[in-house]
Amino acid sequence: MFARHRNFTRAAEELHVSQPALHTRIRKLEHRLDTSLYVKQGRLLHLTDAGERLAAFANDSRDRAAEFLGTLDALPPRPLVLIAGSGTYLYLLGDPIRRFVAKGRELQLRTGDASATLAAVREGTADIGVTALGVPPDDLECELLAQYPQTLITRTGHRLAERRTVRLKDLQDEALVVPPKDRPHRQQLERSMLDQGIRWSVAVEAEGWELLVHFVRLGIGPAVVNGSVRTTAAVRKIPVKDLPPVRYYVVTRPDRSERVSELRGMLG
């Protein structure tokens, strides 16, 4: 539970114990194993490599026990846990999730960015993840689900609205609607603009694809988004030729169960 929340207060509340008691138990566990299980970086707690491995072991042990008891009709199988970003749920996973649930399968949904998704799958706090990745990691099974071009979205009256494709140089001196500075999409866009010496400015920062599209529709400025993002008739989508496509992967651990393989097959 601590590995899932990375927070003593929330983990203690879910375990119905006091925060000091949980802290003591984690410290005793570290002492017994003679290793650190987490580190503090600023206000955030991060699992060490040993902490991630121990969390995965704990979750595997829980799952094996649940599966065995299920064979004795002593305990129903726990719901599978799927983790993905909000945009992935909105534009990629709606139909597969409906089909899985319609078959009577229980599914627990969590949201997280790419780093949170990979961490959850590694530790076993999620069974399967779907996320956009630049370079898939070697320690997990990553299967390509879909890929989309990066596109410029504009109002129909914008100077670039009638173009079939654009390049980054066409955005010289534009004021763009962009995600916050700490988001990977924003960081990649900034690096690409800097590499080509393109001047641009921020019209507004917005969290989430839907809000970016909303501001474009209001005429605040154009935006560069994943090609999977849905728009309305008032907004034009134009592929950006010199940006790499966005690739979405289904991420699982190599030792995935039959139930996880079934869900993986239904995702496409």
Side-chain angles (χ1 to χ4, degrees), residues 60-77:
D60 287 346
S61 299
R62 175 203 61 192
D63 291 346
R64 283 197 295 270
E67 287 177 6
F68 173 72
L69 291 173
T71 65
L72 303 178
D73 295 326
L75 191 70

Side-chain angles (χ1 to χ4, degrees), residues 15-237:
L15 291 167
H16 304 291
V17 300
S18 69
Q19 181 177 333
L22 178 59
H23 193 275
T24 299
R25 289 168 65 176
I26 296 292
R27 285 298 183 197
K28 285 182 177 180
L29 186 56
E30 288 182 319
H31 180 72
R32 182 177 179 183
L33 299 174
D34 193 27
T35 187
S36 296
L37 299 177
Y38 70 94
V39 294
K40 188 173 184 179
Q41 296 179 1
R43 300 178 62 182
L44 301 178
L45 300 180
H46 299 272
L47 295 187
T48 62
D49 179 64
E52 287 187 351
R53 290 163 57 199
L54 183 62
F57 173 77
N59 282 293
D60 287 346
S61 299
R62 175 203 61 192
D63 291 346
R64 283 197 295 270
E67 287 177 6
F68 173 72
L69 291 173
T71 65
L72 303 178
D73 295 326
L75 191 70
R78 69 167 180 84
L80 291 179
V81 179
L82 168 65
I83 183 170
S86 57
T88 308
Y89 281 123
L90 282 170
Y91 307 123
L92 272 73
L93 299 181
D95 288 338
I97 288 173
R98 278 193 291 271
R99 289 198 301 270
F100 190 78
V101 174
K103 293 183 69 174
R105 309 294 196 267
E106 287 192 79
L107 188 61
Q108 186 179 104
L109 305 178
R110 292 175 53 191
T111 58
D113 60 15
S115 61
T117 296
L118 296 179
V121 174
R122 283 192 180 104
E123 296 155 13
T125 54
D127 299 291
I128 191 166
V130 180
T131 190
L133 296 171
V135 180
D138 294 331
D139 61 321
L140 297 171
E141 288 192 355
C142 301
E143 301 174 68
L144 184 65
L145 175 65
Q147 72 175 37
Y148 299 92
Q150 297 195 52
T151 60
L152 178 74
I153 58 173
T154 72
R155 279 175 60 91
T156 52
H158 189 271
R159 64 181 180 86
L160 298 173
E162 300 306 315
R163 297 279 293 272
R164 296 182 63 181
T165 62
V166 295
R167 295 184 178 274
L168 287 179
K169 66 181 181 180
D170 297 320
L171 302 180
Q172 182 79 18
D173 295 323
E174 280 285 350
L176 301 176
V177 179
V178 291
K181 249 186 165 338
D182 63 339
R183 308 308 296 160
H185 180 82
R186 165 76 176 274
Q187 293 169 351
Q188 183 201 57
L189 179 62
E190 288 205 39
R191 284 195 300 269
S192 299
M193 297 288 237
L194 182 63
D195 288 344
Q196 296 193 32
I198 297 168
R199 298 185 306 273
W200 66 284
S201 59
V202 175
V204 65
E205 290 186 346
E207 183 70 68
W209 298 125
E210 287 191 320
L211 191 54
L212 263 71
V213 172
H214 178 67
F215 282 133
V216 171
R217 196 166 59 244
L218 291 178
I220 304 300
V224 176
V225 302
N226 292 356
S228 62
V229 173
R230 299 192 189 103
T231 59
T232 66
V235 176
R236 289 270 292 124
K237 293 176 68 173

